[in-house]
């Protein structure tokens, strides 16, 4: 993990340039951030453009650092175009899920590449489920699939609690995007990693049930 390919450098560079523009030009930031009311008025470009804006340098840094570590796994399995499709598809699906849950909140706004990065992370876990992850405050390696399941369960908790300023629904939607697009690209995973495909689907099923029963 952590091999900076040309395509990863381009994606990071675009995020950095657009985010810096947003830091220094509020009218630009306001015009292209995700906003439910604006999307409902026909400004669908925000579903894409908001994924390249960030609220702070730390927000940008942590998203790009995560992308730097996990993009090589996706690229090694699916190539540059596969990586781009998952990145953009996850970004869009993440914001669409945000729109679904906040469609009646006209002032709801969000920015950040977290949905896209979550998609890349989940795709990497699905493609390489045997890898282990190291967290800053946990001295032992965590199996990637356990992290992936825990990450989405925490996102569901965040969506239900709605007590912070984090776009948990975009994170969840992006991860689902990475999961679904990867399986569409590599359907053989259903056979070679059947158990893992099923385990990683558990949070998705839980979200579906909670939504259907009106508990979300």
């Amino acid at each position: 993990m952590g091999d900076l390919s040309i395509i990863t450098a381009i994606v990071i560079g675009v995020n950095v340039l657009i985010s810096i523009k947003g830091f220094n030009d509020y009218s630009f930031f306001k015009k292209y951030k995700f906003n439910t009311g604006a999307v409902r008025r026909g400004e669908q470009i925000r579903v894409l453009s908001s994924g390249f804006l960030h609220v702070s340098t730390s927000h940008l840094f942590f998203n790009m650092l995560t992308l730097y570590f996990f993009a090589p796994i996706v690229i090694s399995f699916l190539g540059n175009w596969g990586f781009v499709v998952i990145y953009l598809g996850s970004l869009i699906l993440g914001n669409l899920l945000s729109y679904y849950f906040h469609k009646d909140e006209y002032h709801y706004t969000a920015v950040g590449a977290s949905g896209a990065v979550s998609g890349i992370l989940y795709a990497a876990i699905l493609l390489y489920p045997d890898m282990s992850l190291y967290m800053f405050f946990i001295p032992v390696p965590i199996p990637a699939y356990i992290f992936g399941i825990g990450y989405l369960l925490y996102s569901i908790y965040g969506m239900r609690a709605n007590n912070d300023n984090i776009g948990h629904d975009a994170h969840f939607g992006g991860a689902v995007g990475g999961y679904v697009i990867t399986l569409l690209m590599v359907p053989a995973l259903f056979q070679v990693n059947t158990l893992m495909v099923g385990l990683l689907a558990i949070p998705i099923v839980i979200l579906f049930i909670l939504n259907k029963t009106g508990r979300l």
Side-chain angles (χ1 to χ4, degrees):
M1 293 186 290
D3 181 20
L4 186 63
S5 67
I6 293 177
I7 190 64
T8 306
I10 291 173
V11 171
I12 291 176
V14 171
N15 271 279
V16 170
L17 290 174
I18 294 178
S19 293
I20 290 175
K21 173 67 174 176
F23 295 155
N24 298 311
D25 185 345
Y26 182 69
S27 62
F28 177 86
F29 183 88
K30 185 177 180 180
K31 181 177 180 180
Y32 291 109
K33 68 181 179 179
F34 180 87
N35 172 258
T36 301
V39 172
R40 293 193 68 163
R41 291 193 300 269
E43 298 178 35
Q44 283 84 10
I45 186 63
R46 293 172 181 259
V47 173
L48 177 64
S49 62
S50 61
F52 294 93
L53 292 167
H54 291 81
V55 295
S56 66
T57 54
S58 60
H59 185 206
L60 172 65
F61 174 77
F62 283 111
N63 272 337
M64 295 304 99
L65 182 65
T66 304
L67 182 64
Y68 168 76
F69 280 119
F70 292 99
I73 297 173
V74 177
I75 293 171
S76 68
F77 278 93
L78 303 178
N80 290 335
W81 285 113
F83 163 75
V84 171
V85 169
I86 290 176
Y87 184 90
L88 294 178
S90 298
L91 189 163
I92 292 170
L93 286 172
N95 279 334
L96 287 178
L97 190 67
S98 288
Y99 180 80
Y100 174 79
F101 282 111
H102 300 281
K103 57 183 176 292
D104 296 322
E105 302 171 37
Y106 282 74
H107 298 292
Y108 178 82
T109 63
V111 294
S114 299
V117 173
S118 295
I120 294 298
L121 170 62
Y122 224 67
I125 293 172
L126 190 58
L127 291 165
Y128 185 24
D130 292 333
M131 71 175 170
S132 296
L133 306 179
Y134 289 85
M135 308 301 292
F136 289 112
F137 304 109
I138 302 177
V140 295
I142 302 173
Y145 70 93
I146 291 179
F147 175 84
I149 294 170
Y151 177 76
L152 288 197
L153 291 177
Y154 173 71
S155 294
I156 292 174
Y157 167 78
M159 292 165 68
R160 295 191 69 192
N162 194 27
N163 59 3
D164 55 31
N165 197 34
I166 299 174
H168 295 286
D169 35 25
H171 295 184
F172 193 99
V176 172
Y179 176 83
V180 172
I181 297 171
T182 301
L183 289 175
L184 289 174
M185 287 183 169
V186 193
L189 289 172
F190 283 108
Q191 293 181 320
V192 298
N193 281 329
T194 306
L195 177 61
M196 202 58 58
V197 170
L199 288 174
L200 291 174
I202 290 174
I204 301 173
V205 173
I206 291 174
L207 181 73
F208 178 80
I209 294 173
L210 290 174
N211 184 53
K212 281 295 184 181
T213 56
R215 298 166 63 188
L216 189 65

